[in-house]
Amino acid sequence: MIFSRTYRYQSTLPIQEIKNKLIGKHIKTHHLDFEISEKNGVLRIIPHAENTEGVQTLPITHVNMNNKGNTTGLKISSKMRRIDSGGPYLIAIFSSFMIIAAAMFYFLGGPEHVQYAIALGAIGLFILVAFWLKMEKGYFDYVRKIRDYVKAETAAK
């Protein structure tokens, strides 16, 4: 949910020409290869992560196309791979609970709990900000680069 992104775009190219331009192509970003294929009329952009070192959170992107007269409407939807989603959701929930607990200590606890509330809130906020910055450099950067590639390839020249 919080890691899904959807982007809508209009192209003047017909659907078949867009498919011809994209199907079978590979996108290289951050030394990773993403392959574009078609399944049930939807273009799928899937990472080849078999040869990667380290743990990475990668998107799966679907491109839905529908004809709108002289233009083609593209809906580019990216979501996290199911195998990658556990860690990021766990970190987001953990840091959110820390911030909620800090707020409860601050508002419901006495004056002796204020220092604990501030410390707990600061730690939770620090974890959340550090995690989000790491996601912006990794996962969301993949999403942006894939979206920009599809947009550039489907622009009329």
Side-chain angles (χ1 to χ4, degrees), residues 17 50 78 87-88 129 142:
E17 192 171 337
E50 297 86 23
S78 296
V129 167
Y142 289 123

Side-chain angles (χ1 to χ4, degrees), residues 56-68:
Q56 295 180 337
T57 305
L58 301 172
I60 293 177
T61 305
H62 293 108
V63 180
N64 294 316
M65 297 169 288
N66 53 352
N67 198 358
K68 295 184 175 182

